Amino acid sequence: MSLAEVRGQILRRKPIAEIEDDTPTDQQLSKHLGLWQLTAIGVGGIIGAGIFALAGSVAHNTTGPSVLVSFLIAGFASACAALCYAEFAGMVPKAGSAYTYGYVSLGELAGWFIGWDLLLEYVAVAAVVAIGVSGYFNFLLDQIGITLPHWMLGASGTGDGHVVDVFAMLFCLGSAFILSRGIRSVGRFETVAVGIKVAIVLLIIVLGVFKIDSANYSPYFPHGVAAVWTGAATVFFAVFGYDAMSTAAEESTEAKKHLPKAIIYSLAIAMVLYVLATLVLTGMQKYTEISPTSGFSTAFKSVGMPGVANIIAVGAIVGIITVVLTFMLGVTRVWFAMSRDGLLPAWFAKTHPTRKVPTRVTWIVGFGSAILAGLLPINTVAELTNIGILMAFIVVSVSVIVMRYTRPDEPREFRLPLMPVVPVVGIGFSIYLIWSLPWETWVRFAVWLIVGLCVYFGYSRNHSRLARPAATAGAAETP
């Protein structure tokens, strides 16, 4: 095969017209999600580990009280990407999110690159969040006097006698079970659980504000301003749940109309709550005394409110589970979309005959995330998640610029303002935050991508739906 033919294959783009085509019955997803259910899934993916686990950990170990500034920086960078996602969501209402966006705008190899990337990153996010909720579960058990064997309370190296985090594994498998029941059940569960979670966060803010001691804010930058940027790179994975929600576009009743609004609403709600909650946490307790695993519960316990601490632990468990559920939903839909496009075996794209959800990949993801959550320390998994999501943000931001200038007349339900300033700022922030990550994370990411390239050139390139004569004839011309 000539170099020109290979170039034509890797640059072929999925036609937007094909997005609306008829899909085989056994590869269809059911449509049950409205605006507020989508928003609930988005909020469910954003609010969770960021407030209940990472806020305390970053404040204690990295930034001190200025963790608030870290969240604002991460939120600003995420907002730039969110506007790019919103424009695409109103134009390409199909499962797959960033994978599909890259496929229709930059070509097949770019779409494969980001889809393969998200397969690992979303599974890792689900795992790291499950580890976070396990910490609160252990806190709650201690409060009611239940002592469990040390071997089952954490991965090896995370504490004396720890071997495996059993609860984290169970949370992953439980989330897979909920997802396998159908998207209607997922939407209902997310709406109720997110309501409970938001109520708990509001309780934290309302009660905690009366326990703030302004002396705890000094010094505000105990480790210097540079630490704030390091903190932003760490907490970034807590402010991008909306991208996982956008993978459910095909299950929305009115995707083009509802998805852009749900993306913006969910990030706005989450950032307001993040700012207020971190302000309360660092004001209630000196940053050196904040627990890195169950920050708010121990903070309220320290000010003589153990009852509230227990309520927070319960809320944290419910709230963080919604994050596991959202990202597990995201990875299964990306995997499903790639398989339906022929880039992975079609066996994975089969949906349940009555529930219309991809149960095969759901259980594979459930067991995969359970293994990661049970056997790896939280920091190792968390660092791996950030680089992949930031890469996805860069691809989506580049894609929206390309689409705006190459297909300016394409119908869009939402148009992001200040083009191309907003996506360029998002790209710049993402590159900077990636640069802040440890070199070991780069090595792991590079190994995963090399494996992906082998899969693409060994299987996906020739099995792609666009490689078939009928599909190729209708595909957009490659540049």
Side-chain angles (χ1 to χ4, degrees), residues 449-471:
L449 291 185
I450 291 171
V451 172
L453 286 174
C454 293
V455 174
Y456 176 78
F457 285 102
Y459 176 88
S460 308
R461 182 169 57 109
N462 296 321
H463 289 81
S464 168
R465 286 182 63 185
L466 296 188
R468 303 165 195 169

Side-chain angles (χ1 to χ4, degrees), residues 14 22 24 114 116 124 215 236 244-245 250 258 271 275 282 403 418 471:
K14 187 179 181 70
D22 293 329
I114 208 62
W116 183 256
F236 191 81
M245 175 264 288
E250 211 167 318
H258 289 162
M271 286 311 302
V275 167
T282 53
M403 290 292 283
L418 301 176

Side-chain angles (χ1 to χ4, degrees), residues 19 21-28 94 250 336 340 465:
I19 296 296
D21 71 353
D22 293 329
T23 303
T25 303
D26 63 352
Q27 295 182 355
Q28 289 181 357
K94 205 69 170 175
E250 211 167 318
F336 167 80
R340 190 170 59 183
R465 286 182 63 185

Side-chain angles (χ1 to χ4, degrees), residues 74-130:
F76 179 77
S78 185
C80 292
L83 292 172
C84 297
Y85 272 88
E87 178 161 325
F88 259 119
M91 183 170 53
V92 186
K94 205 69 170 175
S97 184
Y99 154 71
T100 302
Y101 305 158
Y103 203 166
V104 301
S105 59
L106 302 179
E108 187 170 278
L109 185 59
W112 165 267
F113 166 83
I114 208 62
W116 183 256
D117 163 29
L118 291 178
L119 291 183
L120 176 64
E121 308 312 324
Y122 282 173
V123 170
V125 172
V128 73
V129 173

Side-chain angles (χ1 to χ4, degrees), residues 8 10 45 57 60 64 77 84 89 130 136 151-152 167 196 231 246 264 276 337 362 448:
I10 67 177
S57 176
H60 179 87
C84 297
Y136 271 92
W151 67 265
M152 64 183 296
F167 292 120
I196 294 172
S246 69
I264 295 170
L276 295 177
T362 297
W448 178 251

Side-chain angles (χ1 to χ4, degrees), residues 171-240:
F171 290 135
C172 289
L173 296 175
S175 297
F177 173 76
I178 294 172
L179 284 174
S180 71
R181 305 311 297 170
I183 196 63
R184 189 193 296 271
S185 298
V186 173
R188 289 172 178 170
F189 179 85
E190 286 274 16
T191 301
V192 173
V194 167
I196 294 172
K197 175 163 57 175
V198 171
I200 294 294
V201 176
L202 291 175
L203 177 69
I204 289 171
I205 295 167
V206 171
L207 296 181
V209 72
F210 295 104
K211 299 295 182 178
I212 289 177
D213 181 354
S214 59
N216 289 330
Y217 293 131
S218 180
Y220 197 69
F221 297 96
H223 305 296
V225 176
V228 170
W229 289 93
T230 303
T234 305
V235 304
F236 191 81
F237 107 93
V239 294
F240 59 67

